[in-house]
Coordinates of all heavy atoms in Angstrom, one line a residue:
I1 N 20.1 13.7 -22.2 CA 21.1 12.8 -22.7 C 21.3 11.7 -21.6 O 21.4 10.5 -21.9 CB 22.4 13.5 -23.0 CG1 22.1 14.5 -24.2 CG2 23.5 12.5 -23.3 CD1 23.2 15.4 -24.5
L2 N 21.5 12.0 -20.4 CA 21.7 11.1 -19.3 C 20.6 10.1 -19.1 O 20.8 9.0 -18.7 CB 22.1 11.8 -18.0 CG 23.4 12.6 -18.0 CD1 23.4 13.4 -16.6 CD2 24.6 11.7 -18.1
S3 N 19.4 10.6 -19.4 CA 18.2 9.6 -19.2 C 18.2 8.5 -20.2 O 17.6 7.5 -19.9 CB 16.9 10.4 -19.4 OG 16.8 10.9 -20.8
R4 N 19.0 8.6 -21.3 CA 19.2 7.5 -22.2 C 19.8 6.2 -21.5 O 19.5 5.1 -21.9 CB 20.1 7.9 -23.4 CG 19.5 9.0 -24.2 CD 18.4 8.5 -25.1 NE 18.0 9.6 -26.0 CZ 17.0 9.3 -27.0 NH1 16.4 8.2 -27.1 NH2 16.6 10.4 -27.7
F5 N 20.7 6.5 -20.5 CA 21.4 5.4 -19.9 C 20.5 4.6 -19.0 O 20.7 3.4 -18.6 CB 22.6 5.9 -19.1 CG 23.6 6.5 -20.0 CD1 23.7 7.9 -20.1 CD2 24.6 5.7 -20.6 CE1 24.7 8.5 -20.9 CE2 25.5 6.3 -21.4 CZ 25.6 7.7 -21.6
I6 N 19.4 5.1 -18.5 CA 18.5 4.5 -17.7 C 17.3 3.9 -18.4 O 16.3 3.4 -17.8 CB 18.0 5.3 -16.5 CG1 17.2 6.5 -17.0 CG2 19.1 5.8 -15.6 CD1 16.6 7.4 -15.9
E7 N 17.3 4.0 -19.8 CA 16.2 3.5 -20.6 C 15.9 2.1 -20.3 O 14.7 1.6 -20.4 CB 16.5 3.9 -22.0 CG 15.3 3.5 -22.9 CD 15.6 3.9 -24.4 OE1 16.7 4.4 -24.7 OE2 14.6 3.8 -25.2
P8 N 16.9 1.1 -20.2 CA 16.5 -0.3 -19.9 C 15.5 -0.6 -18.7 O 14.8 -1.5 -18.7 CB 17.9 -1.0 -19.8 CG 18.9 -0.1 -20.5 CD 18.3 1.3 -20.3
W9 N 15.7 0.3 -17.8 CA 14.8 0.1 -16.6 C 13.4 0.8 -16.7 O 12.6 0.7 -15.8 CB 15.5 0.6 -15.3 CG 16.7 -0.2 -14.9 CD1 16.8 -1.4 -14.3 CD2 18.1 0.1 -15.3 NE1 18.1 -1.8 -14.2 CE2 18.9 -0.9 -14.8 CE3 18.7 1.2 -16.0 CZ2 20.3 -0.8 -15.0 CZ3 20.1 1.2 -16.1 CH2 20.9 0.2 -15.6
M10 N 13.3 1.6 -17.7 CA 12.0 2.4 -17.9 C 11.0 1.5 -18.7 O 10.9 1.6 -19.9 CB 12.3 3.7 -18.6 CG 13.3 4.6 -17.9 SD 12.7 4.9 -16.2 CE 11.3 5.9 -16.6
T11 N 10.3 0.7 -17.9 CA 9.2 -0.1 -18.5 C 8.0 0.7 -18.8 O 8.0 1.9 -18.5 CB 8.9 -1.3 -17.6 OG1 8.3 -0.7 -16.3 CG2 10.1 -2.1 -17.3
E12 N 7.0 0.1 -19.4 CA 5.8 0.8 -19.7 C 5.1 1.4 -18.4 O 4.6 2.5 -18.3 CB 4.8 -0.1 -20.4 CG 4.0 0.6 -21.4 CD 3.1 -0.4 -22.2 OE1 3.7 -1.1 -23.0 OE2 1.9 -0.3 -22.0
Q13 N 5.2 0.5 -17.4 CA 4.6 0.9 -16.1 C 5.4 2.0 -15.4 O 4.8 3.0 -14.9 CB 4.5 -0.3 -15.1 CG 3.8 0.0 -13.8 CD 2.4 0.4 -14.0 OE1 1.7 -0.2 -14.8 NE2 1.9 1.5 -13.3
A14 N 6.7 2.0 -15.6 CA 7.6 3.0 -15.0 C 7.4 4.4 -15.7 O 7.3 5.4 -15.1 CB 9.0 2.6 -15.2
L15 N 7.2 4.3 -17.0 CA 6.9 5.6 -17.8 C 5.6 6.1 -17.4 O 5.4 7.3 -17.2 CB 6.9 5.3 -19.3 CG 8.3 5.1 -19.9 CD1 8.1 4.7 -21.3 CD2 9.2 6.3 -19.7
A16 N 4.6 5.3 -17.1 CA 3.2 5.7 -16.7 C 3.3 6.4 -15.3 O 2.8 7.3 -15.0 CB 2.3 4.5 -16.7
N17 N 4.1 5.7 -14.4 CA 4.2 6.2 -13.0 C 5.0 7.6 -13.1 O 4.7 8.5 -12.3 CB 5.1 5.2 -12.2 CG 4.3 4.0 -11.8 OD1 3.1 3.9 -12.1 ND2 5.0 3.0 -11.2
L18 N 6.0 7.7 -14.0 CA 6.8 8.9 -14.1 C 5.9 10.0 -14.6 O 6.0 11.2 -14.2 CB 8.0 8.7 -15.1 CG 9.0 9.9 -15.2 CD1 9.6 10.2 -13.9 CD2 10.0 9.5 -16.2
S19 N 5.1 9.7 -15.6 CA 4.2 10.7 -16.2 C 3.2 11.2 -15.1 O 2.9 12.4 -15.1 CB 3.4 10.1 -17.4 OG 2.5 11.0 -17.9
L20 N 2.6 10.2 -14.4 CA 1.7 10.6 -13.3 C 2.3 11.5 -12.2 O 1.8 12.5 -11.8 CB 1.1 9.4 -12.7 CG 0.1 9.6 -11.4 CD1 -1.1 10.4 -11.9 CD2 -0.3 8.3 -10.8
T21 N 3.5 11.1 -11.9 CA 4.3 11.9 -10.9 C 4.6 13.3 -11.4 O 4.4 14.3 -10.8 CB 5.6 11.2 -10.5 OG1 5.3 9.9 -10.1 CG2 6.4 12.0 -9.5
G22 N 5.0 13.4 -12.7 CA 5.2 14.7 -13.3 C 4.0 15.5 -13.3 O 4.1 16.8 -13.1
S23 N 2.9 15.0 -13.6 CA 1.6 15.7 -13.7 C 1.3 16.3 -12.3 O 0.8 17.4 -12.2 CB 0.4 14.9 -14.2 OG 0.8 14.4 -15.5
M24 N 1.5 15.5 -11.3 CA 1.2 15.9 -9.9 C 2.2 17.1 -9.5 O 1.8 18.1 -8.9 CB 1.4 14.8 -8.9 CG 0.4 13.7 -9.1 SD 0.6 12.3 -8.0 CE 0.3 13.0 -6.4
L25 N 3.5 17.0 -9.9 CA 4.4 18.1 -9.7 C 4.0 19.4 -10.4 O 4.1 20.5 -9.8 CB 5.8 17.6 -10.0 CG 6.3 16.4 -9.1 CD1 7.8 16.1 -9.6 CD2 6.5 16.9 -7.6
I26 N 3.6 19.2 -11.6 CA 3.2 20.4 -12.4 C 2.0 21.0 -11.8 O 1.9 22.3 -11.7 CB 2.9 19.9 -13.8 CG1 4.2 19.5 -14.6 CG2 2.3 21.1 -14.6 CD1 3.9 18.9 -15.9
F27 N 1.1 20.2 -11.3 CA -0.2 20.8 -10.6 C 0.3 21.6 -9.3 O -0.2 22.7 -9.1 CB -1.0 19.6 -10.1 CG -2.2 20.1 -9.3 CD1 -3.3 20.7 -9.8 CD2 -2.2 19.9 -8.0 CE1 -4.3 21.2 -9.0 CE2 -3.2 20.3 -7.1 CZ -4.4 21.0 -7.7
C28 N 1.3 21.1 -8.6 CA 1.7 21.7 -7.5 C 2.5 23.1 -7.8 O 2.3 24.1 -7.2 CB 2.7 20.9 -6.7 SG 2.0 19.4 -5.9
V29 N 3.2 23.1 -8.9 CA 3.8 24.3 -9.4 C 2.8 25.3 -9.8 O 2.9 26.5 -9.5 CB 4.7 24.0 -10.6 CG1 5.2 25.3 -11.2 CG2 5.9 23.1 -10.2
G30 N 1.7 24.9 -10.5 CA 0.6 25.8 -10.8 C -0.1 26.4 -9.5 O -0.4 27.6 -9.5
V31 N -0.2 25.6 -8.5 CA -0.9 26.1 -7.3 C 0.1 27.1 -6.6 O -0.4 28.2 -6.2 CB -1.1 24.9 -6.3 CG1 -1.5 25.5 -5.0 CG2 -2.2 24.0 -6.8
N32 N 1.4 26.9 -6.7 CA 2.3 27.8 -6.1 C 2.3 29.1 -6.9 O 2.5 30.2 -6.3 CB 3.8 27.2 -6.2 CG 3.9 26.1 -5.2 OD1 3.0 25.8 -4.4 ND2 5.0 25.3 -5.3
L33 N 2.2 29.1 -8.1 CA 2.1 30.3 -9.0 C 0.9 31.2 -8.7 O 0.9 32.4 -8.7 CB 2.2 30.0 -10.5 CG 3.5 29.4 -11.0 CD1 3.3 29.0 -12.5 CD2 4.6 30.4 -10.9
I34 N -0.3 30.5 -8.3 CA -1.5 31.2 -8.0 C -1.6 31.6 -6.6 O -2.0 32.8 -6.3 CB -2.7 30.3 -8.4 CG1 -2.6 30.0 -10.0 CG2 -4.0 31.0 -8.1 CD1 -3.7 29.0 -10.4
W35 N -1.2 30.8 -5.7 CA -1.4 31.0 -4.2 C -0.1 31.2 -3.5 O -0.1 31.1 -2.3 CB -2.2 29.9 -3.6 CG -3.7 30.0 -4.0 CD1 -4.6 30.9 -3.6 CD2 -4.3 29.1 -4.8 NE1 -5.8 30.6 -4.1 CE2 -5.7 29.5 -4.9 CE3 -4.0 27.9 -5.6 CZ2 -6.7 28.9 -5.6 CZ3 -5.0 27.3 -6.3 CH2 -6.3 27.8 -6.4
E36 N 1.0 31.5 -4.2 CA 2.3 31.8 -3.5 C 2.8 30.7 -2.6 O 2.8 30.9 -1.4 CB 2.1 33.2 -2.8 CG 1.7 34.4 -3.7 CD 1.7 35.6 -2.9 OE1 1.8 35.6 -1.7 OE2 1.4 36.7 -3.5
K37 N 3.4 29.8 -3.2 CA 4.2 28.7 -2.6 C 3.4 28.1 -1.4 O 3.7 28.3 -0.2 CB 5.5 29.4 -2.1 CG 6.3 29.9 -3.2 CD 7.6 30.4 -2.7 CE 8.5 30.9 -3.8 NZ 9.8 31.5 -3.3
K38 N 2.5 27.2 -1.7 CA 1.8 26.4 -0.8 C 2.4 25.0 -0.7 O 2.4 24.4 0.3 CB 0.4 26.2 -1.2 CG -0.5 27.5 -1.1 CD -0.5 28.2 0.2 CE -1.4 29.5 0.1 NZ -1.5 30.1 1.4
F39 N 3.1 24.6 -1.8 CA 3.8 23.2 -1.8 C 5.3 23.4 -2.0 O 5.7 24.3 -2.8 CB 3.2 22.4 -2.9 CG 1.8 22.0 -2.8 CD1 0.8 22.6 -3.6 CD2 1.4 21.1 -1.9 CE1 -0.5 22.3 -3.4 CE2 0.1 20.8 -1.7 CZ -0.9 21.4 -2.5
K40 N 6.0 22.7 -1.3 CA 7.5 22.7 -1.5 C 7.8 21.7 -2.5 O 8.2 20.5 -2.2 CB 8.2 22.4 -0.2 CG 8.0 23.5 0.9 CD 8.7 23.2 2.2 CE 8.5 24.3 3.2 NZ 9.3 24.0 4.5
V41 N 7.8 22.0 -3.8 CA 7.9 21.1 -4.9 C 9.3 20.5 -4.9 O 9.5 19.4 -5.3 CB 7.5 21.9 -6.2 CG1 7.6 20.9 -7.4 CG2 6.1 22.4 -6.2
A42 N 10.2 21.3 -4.6 CA 11.7 20.8 -4.7 C 11.9 19.6 -3.8 O 12.6 18.7 -4.1 CB 12.7 21.9 -4.3
N43 N 11.2 19.6 -2.7 CA 11.3 18.4 -1.7 C 10.6 17.2 -2.3 O 10.8 16.1 -1.8 CB 10.7 18.8 -0.4 CG 11.4 19.9 0.3 OD1 12.6 20.2 0.0 ND2 10.8 20.6 1.3
M44 N 9.7 17.4 -3.3 CA 9.0 16.3 -3.9 C 9.8 15.6 -5.0 O 9.3 14.6 -5.6 CB 7.6 16.7 -4.4 CG 6.7 17.3 -3.3 SD 5.2 17.9 -4.0 CE 4.4 18.7 -2.6
L45 N 10.9 16.1 -5.5 CA 11.6 15.6 -6.5 C 12.1 14.1 -6.4 O 12.1 13.4 -7.4 CB 12.9 16.4 -6.9 CG 12.6 17.8 -7.5 CD1 13.9 18.6 -7.7 CD2 11.9 17.7 -8.8
P46 N 12.4 13.7 -5.2 CA 12.7 12.2 -5.0 C 11.6 11.3 -5.4 O 11.8 10.1 -5.7 CB 13.0 12.1 -3.6 CG 13.5 13.5 -3.1 CD 12.7 14.4 -3.9
T47 N 10.4 11.8 -5.5 CA 9.3 11.0 -5.9 C 9.5 10.4 -7.4 O 8.9 9.4 -7.7 CB 7.9 11.6 -5.8 OG1 8.0 12.9 -6.6 CG2 7.6 12.0 -4.4

């Protein structure tokens, strides 16, 4: 719901960057599940 308020700043390029960042974070989460916490994903949230 709160993300609706920032929609004016979410251009097509911003959405693409957000999707890429999300994919990278998901990849890190998957690595952590397999190899027991190699990446500190919580520290990457500011990205």
Side-chain angles (χ1 to χ4, degrees):
I1 295 173
L2 292 175
S3 64
R4 298 281 185 181
F5 296 99
I6 63 173
E7 186 175 2
W9 292 279
M10 299 303 295
T11 62
E12 213 176 292
Q13 184 62 42
L15 289 174
N17 290 354
L18 185 63
S19 178
L20 177 61
T21 304
S23 299
M24 295 175 64
L25 293 177
I26 293 173
F27 173 78
C28 293
V29 172
V31 172
N32 291 346
L33 291 174
I34 299 174
W35 286 290
E36 299 182 357
K37 299 182 178 180
K38 299 295 183 180
F39 296 104
K40 296 182 179 180
V41 183
N43 297 339
M44 302 179 186
L45 289 176
T47 57

